[in-house]
């Protein structure tokens, strides 16, 4: 649905986005994750045709994305970048009518239907300046849905919302995806991405840092998490683990206290057979296992590890 290949954008000597590559597939809720200033909005503006790439290309449905000043290549995609803007002194209905009038596509816009979809039917004649931030975000989604897109692009859709507003927008995005809409979601809110997205790209300083399903991104290329193994004596356990064909990596971490017993922690990565054969090897070698738990890092852990600048 959306392909980004070797996309680079420079503003003078400043490289905002550097050789970015990723693809969004039909039916995805694709999370575009990165800190502020990482190049997310620049990428979205280029998808919309508001700016041109310096190098590389962006394709929608196999065709080049829109070019500045024209609508070619934008069919089937809609959304917003940065904070959506409306005429506050007009009603939501009149704002949508103005947007519909500016759309050159054939067919009558389904304004009542999109208002119902986003939960604003009954408040459509209220002036937008009386709307909460969450209602304005839902109105922004309604304005995008007027174009009946196949791909919906949302830039920080829950930014500035209270918990109730965030819940409502998340529920709306989930429902739209269930109805068949492919959604490209830019965010720096990690919990939001984990709740909504099936695939993600993490960028920092304009570069792609990780891409794939959340399990792949968090757990490594094979999607398998490591384990935290607590044993009574690490030296003997490491000797057994190093000779095991079922272990890909093992290292001693820290001494830990667990239910009154002092043990030593080993960080362990196992093969596709899982931890079962490893446990059998350890028990057979006389090692007392005090604990064995998955050590799957959170998306937040990964995000901070990838994007925090090192001294």
């Amino acid at each position: 649905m959306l392909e980004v290949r070797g996309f680079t954008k420079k503003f003078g000597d400043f490289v905002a986005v550097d050789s970015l590559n990723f693809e969004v597939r039909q039916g995805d809720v694709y999370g575009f994750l990165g800190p502020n200033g990482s190049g997310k909005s620049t990428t979205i503006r280029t998808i919309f045709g508001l700016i041109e790439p310096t190098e590389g290309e962006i394709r929608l449905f196999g065709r080049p994305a829109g070019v500045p000043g024209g609508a070619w290549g934008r069919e089937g995609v809609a959304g917003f970048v940065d904070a959506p803007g409306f005429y506050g002194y007009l009603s939501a209905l009149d704002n949508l009518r103005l947007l519909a009038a500016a759309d050159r596509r054939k067919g009558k816009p389904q304004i009542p239907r999109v208002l119902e979809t986003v939960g604003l039917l009954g408040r459509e004649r209220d002036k937008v300046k009386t709307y909460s931030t969450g209602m304005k975000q839902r109105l922004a989604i309604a304005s995008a849905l007027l174009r009946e897109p196949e791909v919906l692009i949302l830039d920080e859709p829950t930014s500035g919302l209270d918990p109730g507003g965030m819940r409502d927008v998340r529920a709306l995005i989930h429902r739209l995806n269930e109805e068949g809409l492919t959604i490209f979601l830019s965010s720096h809110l990690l919990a939001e991405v984990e709740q909504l997205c099936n695939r993600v790209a993490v960028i920092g300083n304009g570069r792609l840092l990780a891409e794939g399903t959340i399990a792949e991104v968090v757990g490594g290329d094979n999607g398998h998490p490591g384990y935290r193994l607590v044993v009574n004596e690490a030296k003997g356990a490491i000797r057994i683990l190093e000779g095991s064909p079922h272990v890909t990596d093992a290292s001693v971490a820290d001494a830990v206290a667990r239910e009154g017993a002092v043990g030593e922690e080993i960080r362990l990565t196992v093969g596709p057979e899982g931890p079962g054969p490893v446990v059998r090897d350890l028990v057979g070698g006389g090692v007392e296992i005090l604990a064995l738990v998955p050590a799957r890092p959170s998306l937040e852990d990964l995000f901070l590890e990838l994007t925090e600048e090192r001294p």
Side-chain angles (χ1 to χ4, degrees), residues 4 9 77 94 145 216 243 267 269 283 297:
V4 177
K9 181 61 186 178
V77 63
D94 285 338
L145 294 177
E216 290 169 343
R267 299 293 172 90
T269 306
V283 172

Side-chain angles (χ1 to χ4, degrees), residues 10-309:
K10 298 179 181 178
F11 297 96
D13 294 331
F14 174 69
V15 181
V17 183
D18 188 4
S19 303
L20 200 59
N21 293 279
F22 65 85
E23 64 177 34
V24 179
R25 304 166 188 167
Q26 186 172 14
D28 278 345
V29 179
Y30 193 97
F32 194 42
L33 184 62
N36 292 332
S38 60
K40 301 191 305 295
S41 293
T42 297
T43 302
I44 293 177
R45 288 190 180 98
T46 309
I47 294 170
F48 282 140
L50 301 175
I51 58 178
E52 295 185 68
T54 305
E55 298 174 12
E57 67 173 352
I58 296 177
R59 301 179 73 85
L60 285 161
F61 317 109
R63 304 185 302 269
V67 295
W72 178 68
R74 298 184 196 172
E75 287 301 318
V77 63
F80 55 84
V81 60
D82 293 331
F86 297 100
Y87 294 107
Y89 62 91
L90 295 179
S91 68
L93 181 61
D94 285 338
N95 270 281
L96 291 181
R97 283 172 173 166
L98 282 172
L99 290 169
D103 192 346
R104 299 178 181 178
R105 295 179 312 117
K106 295 181 180 179
K108 186 176 181 180
Q110 302 297 312
I111 293 178
R113 179 179 60 81
V114 299
L115 284 167
E116 182 177 13
T117 297
V118 302
L120 291 177
L121 201 59
R123 296 291 306 274
E124 72 274 16
R125 297 186 184 279
D126 294 352
K127 292 183 178 180
V128 171
K129 66 182 179 182
T130 68
Y131 275 18
S132 67
T133 304
M135 293 172 70
K136 290 176 182 176
Q137 290 290 71
R138 284 185 280 144
L139 180 60
I141 295 174
S143 69
L145 294 177
L146 279 179
R147 291 182 53 81
E148 300 178 329
E150 296 178 63
V151 176
L152 179 64
I153 297 178
L154 304 176
D155 187 19
E156 304 280 0
T158 61
S159 178
L161 302 188
D162 60 23
M166 295 174 70
R167 177 201 60 210
D168 292 344
V169 171
R170 283 198 298 262
L172 173 59
I173 291 170
H174 183 69
R175 179 158 46 88
L176 291 171
N177 179 247
E178 285 187 329
E179 293 172 358
L181 199 56
T182 299
I183 298 173
F184 181 78
L185 171 69
S186 166
S187 181
H188 67 276
L189 301 177
L190 306 171
E192 176 176 274
V193 170
E194 286 195 291
Q195 290 181 52
L196 286 172
C197 301
N198 64 309
R199 298 177 62 238
V200 297
V202 182
I203 68 170
N205 295 321
R207 291 179 173 269
L208 182 69
L209 304 177
E211 198 266 347
T213 67
I214 289 182
E216 290 169 343
V217 166
V218 171
D221 292 338
N222 60 10
H224 296 296
Y227 290 86
R228 295 175 57 242
L229 171 68
V230 182
V231 297
N232 62 327
E233 194 266 313
K235 186 176 180 180
I238 285 290
R239 185 170 57 251
I240 294 170
L241 295 172
E242 287 177 343
S244 172
H246 309 295
V247 176
T248 59
D249 184 62
S251 61
V252 179
D254 303 303
V256 296
R258 183 177 178 83
E259 296 179 355
V262 176
E264 294 179 274
E265 181 178 321
I266 295 173
R267 299 293 172 90
L268 182 68
T269 306
V270 301
E273 303 89 352
V278 179
V279 171
R280 289 195 294 270
D281 291 344
L282 291 169
V283 172
V287 175
E288 182 180 356
I289 298 176
L290 304 177
L292 178 66
V293 295
R296 179 181 184 269
S298 68
L299 187 59
E300 180 177 5
D301 294 333
L302 176 76
F303 179 82
L304 293 175
E305 178 183 343
L306 291 175
T307 60
E308 282 189 331
E309 294 186 4

